[in-house]
Amino acid sequence: MTSSEPWIDAALADASPVPFWLDRTNRPEPRPPLAGDTAADLAIVGGGFTGLWTAIHAKEEDPGRDVILVDGERIAFGGSGRNGGFCEASLTHGLPNGIRRFPDEIDEIDRQGRASFDGLRDTLERYDIDCDWEPTGTLMVAREPHEVQWCAHAVERAAAHGHESVLFDEEAVRAEVGSPTYLGGMWIKGLGAQVDPARLAWGLAEAAAGLGVRIHESTPVHAMSPEGDGVSLATERGRVNARRVVLGTNAFPPLVRRMRRYVVPVYDYVLMTEPLSEAQMDAIGWRNRQGLADMGNQFHYYRLTRDDRILWGGYDAIYHWHNGVRPELERRPQTYRLLASQFFQTFPQLHGVRFTHAWAGAIDTCSRFCVFFGIEVDGRVAYAAGYTGLGVGATRWGARVALDLVDGRATERTRLRMVQKKPLPFPPEPLRSAGVWLTRRALARADRRQGRRGPWLRLLDAVGLGFDS
C-alpha cells in the first residue's frame, strides 16, 4: 500500500481544512475587539489554554483584580483548538523525559503534576464545563520487536515512581485494539484523559468571563513597552496599560524577541474520520477507549471522539525556514496522503472509511520538550512556552507558575530547577533548519535500525538536545 493509490485520494477528497474541533455550528459568537485605550492590573496576551488558565487563577486568587485578556484571532484559534485532545498529568512530556532532565526533583514535579491534573478535573466540575472528559489513560503500542522491550522497561520505570500501568503481549494488546501491526503495548492508567480541546477552551473562557475577566478577540498586540511602573501593549484600536503582563502566545512570534531563541514552531498534521458504524467499531474493538500512541521516534497519536470518529495525527512533523508560521503552511497534501496510508495499514479492516477533516497546527517545540518560563521588563512580564505538543493538561500548572513569577511570589513551583532554568537555545538560521532536517532524518533512521541511535542523535544526547518520543 502506498500513499499515491487513487483510493487514498478518494478517502481524502471531501476533507475540510478547518480543524474538526472548531468546525461547529454552535461555536461561541465572537467577542468584540478592544476599542480604545484601557488599563488593567493584569493583561494576558493569548486566548489559548495558558492565557485562559492564567485569567481564571488570577481571579480566583483575587476577585478584585482587574484582568483583561486579548487574542489576535479567536479563543482556541491556535494550538489549543488544533491538538489531539490528550490531557495528561505529566509536566515534563512524559516520565522518561522528566527523569532524564530533572532527576533530582522528578518526584516533586510528578506530585505537582498530579495535583494540577486533579485540579483541572475539579475545575470542570465547578464551572460545569462539558468537554467530553474521558479519563481512560493512554495505551502505548509497540509495532517493532525492540519497542516491545521498551514497553517492558517503561512499565518497570513507571512502577518505581508509583504510576499504574499494565504490560500487554501481542495477543493482549490486540484484544484491546484490533490492529495487525501491534506486537505489544502498555496501558498507562489514571494519569490521562481525552477531551474536546476547543470545548475545553470555550468553557474556560466562559468561566473566566463569569469571574469578571474582560476578553477581547481579534485584537493582535503589535508591540510591548515599559510604561511608568507597568507595561503598555499596543493594538490596532487602542493601548492596554497594565501593571503586569503574562504572555501565552504558544508557537506564534513572541513579543519578547529573546524567546525566539528557545522556541521552534513545528507543524503537526491531523486527520479525522467520519463516524464509524457499529460494525466498524466491533471490527477494531477499542472498548476501553484509551488514547493511543506509537512507541517509535516518529510516532502517531490517535483516539476516539464522542461520536466514534478516529482522530489520527503525528509522524510527519515539519519545520519551515526562520520559524515560519503562516496559514498556507497548514495545507500539505503529501503529508495527508502519507497519514491516510499509515492509517489503513494500522486498521485494514476500515478500508473505505473517509476522512471529513484534514488540518494542521504549529507546536511550540523547545529543546527540552516541556514548558519553560521567563520574566522580562524588570519582572513586570512573565511567559510560559515550549509545551511541545503536550500542553492540554500542563498549561494549567504552567499558567500558575507564570502568575507566581509576575507577582514576585516564591512558591513550591517557582523553587523548582525546572522553572528557574531555561532550555538550551536553538542556533540561528541556516543552522536551525539544517539541524532540524538532520534530526528528522536521524530519528527515521533509528526507527529503521531497531531504535539504535546514530552519531548525530548521540551528539544531541550528549549536549542535552536529544529527542525521543
Side-chain angles (χ1 to χ4, degrees):
M1 183 186 302
T2 68
S3 58
S4 60
E5 293 190 23
W7 67 274
I8 294 288
D9 289 332
L12 291 162
D14 300 322
S16 168
V18 179
F20 169 78
W21 311 116
L22 303 179
D23 193 11
R24 307 283 179 79
T25 57
N26 61 348
R27 185 177 182 180
E29 289 297 315
R31 289 177 166 85
L34 181 70
D37 296 347
T38 190
D41 296 321
L42 174 68
I44 300 165
V45 182
F49 291 137
T50 295
L52 294 168
W53 280 117
T54 302
I56 289 174
H57 290 326
K59 292 296 284 187
E60 287 182 337
E61 292 173 2
D62 181 2
R65 191 172 194 171
D66 185 12
V67 179
I68 186 171
L69 184 151
V70 296
D71 190 272
E73 293 281 352
R74 298 281 304 279
I75 297 297
F77 170 83
S80 296
R82 296 167 184 266
N83 65 82
F86 286 69
C87 181
E88 300 192 7
S90 176
L91 305 177
T92 58
H93 209 291
L95 183 60
N97 191 54
I99 292 172
R100 179 179 183 180
R101 300 186 185 281
F102 313 107
D104 296 335
E105 59 184 20
I106 184 58
D107 289 332
E108 174 60 19
I109 294 171
D110 190 57
R111 183 193 68 78
Q112 292 189 26
R114 294 189 197 207
S116 183
F117 183 77
D118 291 342
L120 190 157
R121 183 195 59 231
D122 293 345
T123 299
L124 300 183
E125 295 175 357
R126 186 163 65 254
Y127 293 106
D128 194 24
I129 297 174
D130 180 8
C131 60
D132 295 348
W133 174 265
E134 284 193 282
T136 52
T138 303
L139 176 60
M140 305 295 298
V141 295
R143 300 162 65 109
E144 299 290 342
H146 67 276
E147 294 172 2
V148 175
Q149 291 300 314
W150 287 357
C151 284
H153 294 155
V155 167
E156 293 177 0
R157 183 170 50 221
H161 290 269
H163 294 192
E164 181 185 0
S165 59
V166 179
L167 183 66
F168 292 135
D169 61 15
E170 180 178 311
E171 181 180 0
V173 74
R174 293 186 186 187
E176 290 291 327
V177 183
S179 172
T181 66
Y182 297 166
L183 303 180
M186 61 173 292
W187 184 3
I188 307 169
K189 296 185 174 183
L191 299 175
Q194 282 73 57
V195 301
D196 179 325
R199 288 173 61 189
L200 172 58
W202 296 336
L204 293 175
E206 188 68 22
L211 292 170
V213 177
R214 292 178 285 151
I215 300 176
H216 294 284
E217 298 178 303
S218 302
T219 304
V221 177
H222 300 302
M224 179 177 69
S225 59
E227 183 73 25
D229 60 354
V231 178
S232 180
L233 303 174
T235 78
E236 292 177 352
R237 298 180 177 88
R239 303 183 74 86
V240 178
N241 293 312
R243 292 186 59 254
R244 298 291 182 265
V245 172
V246 170
L247 305 178
T249 50
N250 192 36
F252 291 99
L255 291 168
V256 176
R257 287 189 60 85
R258 73 181 70 189
M259 283 180 65
R260 300 183 187 186
R261 303 168 56 206
Y262 299 104
V263 175
V264 163
V266 176
Y267 272 88
D268 188 48
Y269 296 83
V270 188
L271 303 178
M272 184 72 83
T273 72
E274 62 190 348
L276 302 188
S277 68
E278 184 176 347
Q280 289 168 329
M281 287 295 296
D282 287 342
I284 61 173
W286 212 341
R287 293 173 182 83
N288 288 312
R289 302 181 64 85
Q290 310 97 322
L292 269 76
D294 304 336
M295 289 291 290
N297 291 306
Q298 288 187 290
F299 63 95
H300 304 94
Y301 56 85
Y302 39 122
R303 46 79 55 100
L304 295 167
T305 64
R306 173 185 280 182
D307 59 350
D308 291 335
R309 301 168 184 262
I310 297 178
L311 177 145
W312 177 267
Y315 192 82
D316 201 23
I318 304 296
Y319 170 76
H320 296 278
W321 174 264
H322 208 269
N323 282 21
V325 179
R326 301 185 299 278
E328 62 267 25
L329 300 179
E330 297 173 18
R331 300 300 298 155
R332 189 175 169 83
Q334 63 268 42
T335 293
Y336 297 137
R337 288 193 293 269
L338 174 64
L339 286 173
S341 175
Q342 293 166 335
F343 174 87
F344 290 115
Q345 289 170 3
T346 302
F347 296 121
Q349 62 270 55
L350 297 182
H351 182 87
V353 165
R354 298 174 72 87
F355 298 99
T356 61
H357 295 77
W359 74 91
I363 294 172
D364 57 334
T365 303
C366 73
S367 65
R368 73 185 193 193
F369 316 114
C370 58
V371 62
F372 69 93
F373 305 91
I375 51 177
E376 300 287 338
V377 194
D378 298 324
R380 289 173 256 175
V381 176
Y383 59 81
Y387 293 95
T388 317
L390 206 65
V392 176
T395 45
R396 181 181 185 275
W397 180 83
R400 192 173 287 278
V401 172
L403 197 58
D404 287 343
L405 292 173
V406 82
D407 285 341
R409 294 180 297 194
T411 67
E412 64 178 5
R413 295 175 289 271
T414 62
R415 285 190 286 269
L416 291 171
R417 177 172 168 266
M418 176 183 176
V419 171
Q420 296 174 359
K421 184 177 180 180
K422 285 189 175 60
L424 291 173
F426 292 104
E429 296 289 12
L431 296 177
R432 180 172 295 197
S433 290
V436 172
W437 180 83
L438 284 170
T439 301
R440 291 187 70 239
R441 183 180 179 186
L443 288 170
R445 187 166 185 263
D447 282 337
R448 294 193 301 270
R449 298 175 67 243
Q450 296 76 53
R452 294 194 299 273
R453 298 169 79 81
W456 178 252
L457 293 182
R458 292 199 299 271
L459 173 62
L460 294 181
D461 292 339
V463 300
L465 291 170
F467 176 82
D468 59 33
S469 62

